[in-house]
Amino acid sequence: MRLSSLLAVFRPALPLILGLSLGCSLSLLMVSWTQGDVDDSCGEELGNVGLFVGGHRGDRADSRDGAGNEDFTPRIVPYHKDPNKPHKKVLRTRYIHSELGIREHLLVGVLTSRATLNTLAVAVNRTVAHRFHRTFFFTGLRSAKLPHGMTVVAHGDDRPVWLMYETVRHLHRHHGNEYDWFLLAQDDTYLQADRLAQLVGHLSSGRDLYLGRAEEFIGGEEKARYCHGGYGYLLSQSLLGKLQPHLDTCRNDILSVRPDEWLGRCIIDYLGLTCLEVYQEMRYQYFELGKNADPEREDSPQFRNALAVHPVSEPSLMYRLHKRFSQMELEWTYQQIEQLQMQINNLSHLTPEGKAGTTWPIGITAPFKPKTRFEVINWEYFTEDHVYSCLESAPKCELRGADRADVSAVLEMAVERLNARYQPQLRFRKRHLLNGYRRFDPTRGMEYVLDLVLEAYTQKGHSQVLGRRVNLLRPLSSIEIIPMPYVTEATRVQVILPVTAPEQDYVGNFLDTYVTNTLDTRDNVLLTFLFIYDPFDAQRVSQTDVFAGLKAMISEVEKRYGDVKIPWISVKTEVPSQVKLMDIISKKHPVDTLFFLAGPWTEINGDFLNRCRMNAISSWQVFFPVHFQEFSPSVASREQPQSSSAFAFDPLRDGHFDRQVFDEACFYNADYMTARTKMAADILDNEELLESMDVYDIFVRYSGLHVFRAVEPALVQKYVRRACNPRFSEDIYHRCVLSNLEGLASRSHLSMALFEQEQANST
């Protein structure tokens, strides 16, 4: 009875028990077979390790049972860290393409001379150099004044063959591992950058290729050819690497007057390669320009398909060639767009939406469709003189600057497109704009709706006034990545804080914020105070120092943080010009110092300091942030308490971005010194210029750098009414007054205050 009850309980588990037993038995059996095979071949494997380098097991001489072609079986080698060896940090490359071995496609070297460096070479640089990834201009002896914006390499010898020898050596030594192809051309050659890039994109740089216009050697009967230098020629990266060991021998043994012939002879004699015009059905197209040829009249297939045009005798001819090729490129682009639009229109009936699903313009992204009422994009109403959506909720403001130019350009384009469509039957002339609407759609671009009053003329001279609605779109162009120099967030920031006697009451809050956000967090930041004494206070400094309390606060911070030093500099001046103060600071710091000019009302934090480091780039860009200025609490918060800092700022309620103030700035000392040096000549004639300018004006007028000005939400200042010095220039004084007025409150707050005052007066 008990046995039957036990069987009834275990009967559902019997298949599981049998399966586990069978699996364990088979596993033990397979382990015994595997161990037997490994023991027999252990010594054999160690003896043939060198045969596995190629990655094929089949190279073993004693492979059994004819299994020599089987795949290599990997073996997991356990990692054991030696505790006696110090930890070694792995150094990674700065860019990922360096670690992966990815090279750029094409580097261009232009051979020029001192006589043509400022003429033909400049023309090459202005027309096509910016279309290549990098372009070098190689010359023997350079002139005293180098053209701006060109990378010129001078070898010190004007002999043509020596120039070619040094150029090839320079390319291999400095850029041999960075590019797949190297193009050498003369400065009297016009190059088609896009077609050359397309050509090298279809060729393998691993092959030894010498591509260009093939020419016979002078007096030679051999079949080998060299590439003519006037039309340019391509050298692959592998060919350049193999040629480098033979350059010295070629320089001593090969006698030639022409540098291209000398290079061709060197490649033929030591590498056994000849110049090719066609490789794998890819042809190096070229065109020989006649003596009195007119580029505007050239229309042959050889000219249209040319990669290089030679000879170009003067810079004006280079610009005319560039204009002609640009026109042909535009014509080809417009033809391609029309063909694509026709194909889309013809195939639209096959789509699920049918013809109704075709967007306008054809091929452009459909308009954005909002899902909720909060996503609706508002239309902006405008006329030829005014726009009816302004800042600070003003109902109407005048069209100025870029907005006026935008409206004028759209009106001209609308009439031009109407005439192109209806001529010669009708010709239109704009009388005036009745209504205009525009909105920016981030998915497609700026959309316009124009109600135009037009005067239409027929071929017989009859005219009639018409009203027509025109829709236009200014589409977003393709996104372009602008190359920027490499910067990091580890750069030390030197904060400079100028303080006058009336402003020292606000420095306590500045110091508290600085200690909390930089010293407590161990940020890489230094602080220097600049105490500005007027002549009266400077005479009494031994008796009564107006900055004594502030210096005591600095001493307390230094005692609290033993390794921190906060230096100060004392200056006596009647007019505390920002440029004069910066001259003193600049001389006391190294040239690679990153400055941040702050104010007593500035609240420093880590987010802003990182953006200061990233946006200020040495020899490239300076950064002038637009801080967020809070409104006056007495006006903006008359009926409700001031907004808590836990909530996001509302520019219409809590403050605004103060565009009138240029006091905060991030820049490198070297950039300031360079701009200041260029300004020295103007100061000799007008010494008062220093008081009429600030640091922002110096960088805009004299630096030539990118002046980046953008709103900075992390840079917040409490409301304060600044003291405007009338001894500064009219522009600086006017900006200070506007900043005080605009920072008082928004228009809605001011109107409410006036309304309450009128109500109080009436009662």
Side-chain angles (χ1 to χ4, degrees):
M1 188 71 179
R2 291 180 178 178
L3 182 61
S4 61
S5 61
L6 288 174
L7 289 176
V9 172
F10 286 104
R11 183 172 298 171
L14 285 178
L16 177 62
I17 296 173
L18 291 176
L20 291 174
S21 302
L22 181 61
C24 292
S25 302
L26 292 176
S27 300
L28 292 174
L29 185 61
M30 292 295 295
V31 167
S32 63
W33 288 349
T34 305
Q35 289 179 348
D37 293 342
V38 172
D39 292 337
D40 295 339
S41 60
C42 182
E44 190 177 291
E45 181 180 353
L46 293 175
N48 293 282
V49 168
L51 299 177
F52 289 175
V53 176
H56 298 286
R57 187 83 176 247
D59 293 338
R60 295 180 53 179
D62 55 348
S63 58
R64 298 186 299 271
D65 300 331
N69 294 326
E70 64 181 353
D71 294 336
F72 175 73
T73 304
R75 218 165 24 94
I76 299 176
V77 180
Y79 172 72
H80 300 286
K81 183 180 179 180
D82 191 353
N84 299 323
K85 292 184 178 180
H87 175 69
K88 185 177 180 181
K89 185 178 179 180
V90 179
L91 297 177
R92 301 294 299 273
T93 56
R94 175 176 292 182
Y95 302 105
I96 189 171
H97 66 78
S98 301
E99 186 167 324
L100 299 178
I102 301 174
R103 296 187 293 263
E104 296 291 342
H105 281 305
L106 183 62
L107 182 144
V108 178
V110 180
L111 303 177
T112 183
S113 63
R114 181 166 56 179
T116 59
L117 179 61
N118 292 290
T119 55
L120 285 173
V122 171
V124 174
N125 183 64
R126 291 181 176 177
T127 53
V128 297
H130 62 281
R131 306 290 295 274
F132 295 108
H133 182 266
R134 201 164 184 186
T135 305
F136 289 91
F137 293 86
F138 297 97
T139 180
L141 298 174
R142 63 183 185 182
S143 56
K145 185 177 180 181
L146 291 178
H148 179 70
M150 295 172 57
T151 306
V152 181
V153 180
H155 297 311
D157 197 324
D158 264 342
R159 290 176 294 177
V161 174
W162 181 271
L163 177 62
M164 177 64 70
Y165 162 76
E166 289 291 345
T167 297
V168 177
R169 282 188 61 213
H170 178 91
L171 292 176
H172 179 268
R173 180 183 303 174
H174 298 282
H175 309 285
N177 296 324
E178 299 175 0
Y179 292 87
D180 289 333
W181 292 92
F182 300 87
L183 174 68
L184 293 178
Q186 299 172 183
D187 57 5
D188 60 347
T189 305
Y190 178 81
L191 301 171
Q192 269 287 70
D194 294 336
R195 295 176 189 174
L196 283 168
Q198 185 179 5
L199 174 65
V200 298
H202 288 81
L203 297 174
S204 173
S205 62
R207 299 292 184 91
D208 300 336
L209 285 181
Y210 178 37
L211 203 62
R213 174 179 172 174
E215 289 284 333
E216 296 182 357
F217 288 96
I218 300 176
E221 298 180 357
E222 53 187 329
K223 296 182 179 180
R225 300 287 188 269
Y226 73 94
C227 290
H228 194 288
Y231 301 92
Y233 42 88
L234 288 167
L235 303 175
S236 63
Q237 191 265 349
S238 62
L239 182 143
L240 192 66
K242 294 178 181 178
L243 182 63
Q244 194 273 337
H246 307 290
L247 287 176
D248 292 335
T249 307
C250 293
R251 182 192 60 181
N252 298 327
D253 296 347
I254 299 177
L255 299 177
S256 179
V257 178
R258 294 175 55 91
D260 50 2
E261 186 176 343
W262 172 85
L263 181 64
R265 173 61 66 186
C266 183
I267 294 175
I268 292 168
D269 291 349
Y270 292 94
L271 300 183
L273 298 174
T274 184
C275 178
L276 299 177
E277 292 188 4
V278 182
Y279 179 76
Q280 293 182 350
E281 299 183 359
M282 301 296 295
R283 178 178 292 276
Y284 190 91
Q285 305 276 3
Y286 54 87
F287 182 79
E288 183 174 358
L289 197 63
K291 186 175 182 180
N292 297 319
D294 184 4
E296 298 294 333
R297 298 181 179 180
E298 293 289 347
D299 201 31
S300 61
Q302 293 81 6
F303 181 80
R304 284 183 168 273
N305 299 325
L307 302 174
V309 179
H310 174 79
V312 183
S313 57
E314 55 186 12
S316 60
L317 184 57
M318 185 79 70
Y319 297 128
R320 291 165 60 194
L321 279 169
H322 184 64
K323 178 183 178 181
R324 175 59 177 153
F325 276 101
S326 299
Q327 289 175 345
M328 292 190 300
E329 191 72 21
L330 282 174
E331 293 173 1
W332 180 84
T333 303
Y334 287 137
Q335 291 176 2
Q336 292 294 111
I337 292 174
E338 291 179 0
Q339 292 178 5
L340 289 174
Q341 289 179 340
M342 291 177 59
Q343 294 176 6
I344 293 173
N345 193 28
N346 294 335
L347 296 175
S348 61
H349 68 280
L350 301 177
T351 62
E353 297 85 1
K355 288 284 187 180
T358 305
T359 61
W360 179 89
I362 298 176
I364 303 296
T365 308
F368 172 73
K369 294 182 179 180
K371 296 181 180 179
T372 64
R373 64 186 180 91
F374 301 103
E375 298 177 354
V376 175
I377 303 175
N378 295 326
W379 287 91
E380 183 179 89
Y381 180 78
F382 63 91
T383 62
E384 294 186 64
D385 299 318
H386 296 88
V387 61
Y388 289 80
S389 60
C390 312
L391 297 175
E392 294 289 346
S393 302
K396 176 182 176 181
C397 55
E398 186 179 356
L399 276 175
R400 296 178 180 177
D403 288 330
R404 177 173 287 275
D406 175 61
V407 171
S408 300
V410 169
L411 292 175
E412 293 178 3
M413 181 57 66
V415 177
E416 180 182 340
R417 291 297 177 91
L418 286 172
N419 286 325
R421 183 171 184 178
Y422 292 102
Q423 280 185 349
Q425 288 83 8
L426 291 175
R427 181 172 56 87
F428 294 97
R429 185 176 64 86
K430 178 182 73 70
R431 299 191 67 174
H432 65 272
L433 173 66
L434 190 61
N435 300 301
Y437 307 89
R438 66 179 181 181
R439 71 172 183 177
F440 179 73
D441 188 337
T443 63
R444 51 195 262 134
M446 185 69 80
E447 299 178 351
Y448 302 87
V449 178
L450 307 177
D451 293 332
L452 296 173
V453 178
L454 304 168
E455 194 167 359
Y457 296 89
T458 64
Q459 291 179 324
K460 296 182 179 180
H462 301 291
S463 63
Q464 185 179 357
V465 177
L466 301 175
R468 289 292 182 269
R469 168 163 287 191
V470 181
N471 292 274
L472 295 97
L473 173 69
R474 193 191 297 272
L476 294 173
S477 59
S478 58
I479 299 175
E480 179 182 0
I481 299 177
I482 301 176
M484 296 290 286
Y486 178 79
V487 292
T488 66
E489 295 183 355
T491 307
R492 173 178 292 177
V493 179
Q494 176 65 62
V495 181
I496 305 297
L497 181 63
V499 183
T500 60
E503 297 172 347
Q504 60 178 326
D505 296 336
Y506 306 98
V507 179
N509 182 57
F510 175 89
L511 265 180
D512 293 339
T513 308
Y514 174 78
V515 169
T516 303
N517 295 334
T518 61
L519 298 185
D520 291 344
T521 59
R522 298 293 180 181
D523 203 344
N524 194 11
V525 181
L526 298 178
L527 175 61
T528 299
F529 278 91
L530 190 64
F531 296 140
I532 304 172
Y533 293 85
D534 59 24
F536 178 75
D537 292 334
Q539 292 177 358
R540 302 171 56 249
V541 68
S542 59
Q543 302 172 0
T544 304
D545 189 356
V546 294
F547 293 106
L550 186 53
K551 292 177 181 179
M553 295 172 59
I554 296 173
S555 300
E556 292 180 3
V557 173
E558 291 179 343
K559 290 179 182 179
R560 194 191 315 171
Y561 301 89
D563 57 341
V564 174
K565 297 296 180 182
I566 303 178
W568 68 72
I569 302 172
S570 299
V571 179
K572 182 183 73 171
T573 179
E574 295 182 2
V575 182
S577 169
Q578 193 181 35
V579 178
K580 290 182 178 180
L581 300 178
M582 195 61 224
D583 288 345
I584 299 173
I585 294 294
S586 177
K587 296 176 182 178
K588 297 181 179 295
H589 291 83
V591 295
D592 59 345
T593 303
L594 173 58
F595 287 128
F596 167 50
L597 290 184
W601 312 279
T602 305
E603 297 182 0
I604 296 179
N605 56 70
D607 292 339
F608 166 72
L609 290 174
N610 285 333
R611 276 192 283 273
C612 178
R613 296 181 178 104
M614 299 300 291
N615 291 329
I617 306 172
S618 180
S619 303
W620 185 269
Q621 180 172 282
V622 294
F623 178 44
F624 285 83
V626 181
H627 67 257
F628 186 87
Q629 180 74 46
E630 295 185 11
F631 287 141
S632 173
S634 60
V635 179
S637 304
R638 294 174 65 90
E639 296 182 356
Q640 68 261 13
Q642 191 172 4
S643 60
S644 173
S645 59
F647 296 95
F649 281 107
D650 181 2
L652 296 178
R653 184 189 64 199
D654 297 320
H656 73 126
F657 288 101
D658 194 349
R659 296 178 295 174
Q660 306 297 337
V661 177
F662 294 80
D663 294 342
E664 292 92 359
C666 295
F667 55 89
Y668 280 87
N669 192 15
D671 296 334
Y672 176 80
M673 295 174 66
T674 302
R676 191 68 175 80
T677 303
K678 295 179 180 179
M679 182 186 176
D682 294 342
I683 298 178
L684 296 177
D685 301 332
N686 185 9
E687 295 183 357
E688 297 181 356
L689 187 63
L690 291 178
E691 298 179 2
S692 64
M693 298 179 63
D694 52 14
V695 175
Y696 177 81
D697 295 327
I698 288 181
F699 279 113
V700 170
R701 298 184 188 181
Y702 298 101
S703 69
L705 304 176
H706 297 272
V707 180
F708 181 41
R709 180 145 171 89
V711 295
E712 179 50 65
L715 200 60
V716 181
Q717 291 189 9
K718 300 293 184 181
Y719 170 77
V720 64
R721 185 173 182 83
R722 292 180 173 84
C724 301
N725 193 336
R727 301 192 62 175
F728 285 147
S729 68
E730 182 180 354
D731 184 35
I732 297 177
Y733 179 78
H734 181 65
R735 290 205 308 254
C736 179
V737 173
L738 280 180
S739 175
N740 286 332
L741 295 176
E742 293 177 356
L744 186 61
S746 65
R747 288 177 179 267
S748 59
H749 291 141
L750 294 175
S751 61
M752 184 60 66
L754 289 174
F755 177 75
E756 292 176 358
Q757 184 178 0
E758 290 181 358
Q759 291 288 334
N761 293 335
S762 62
T763 57

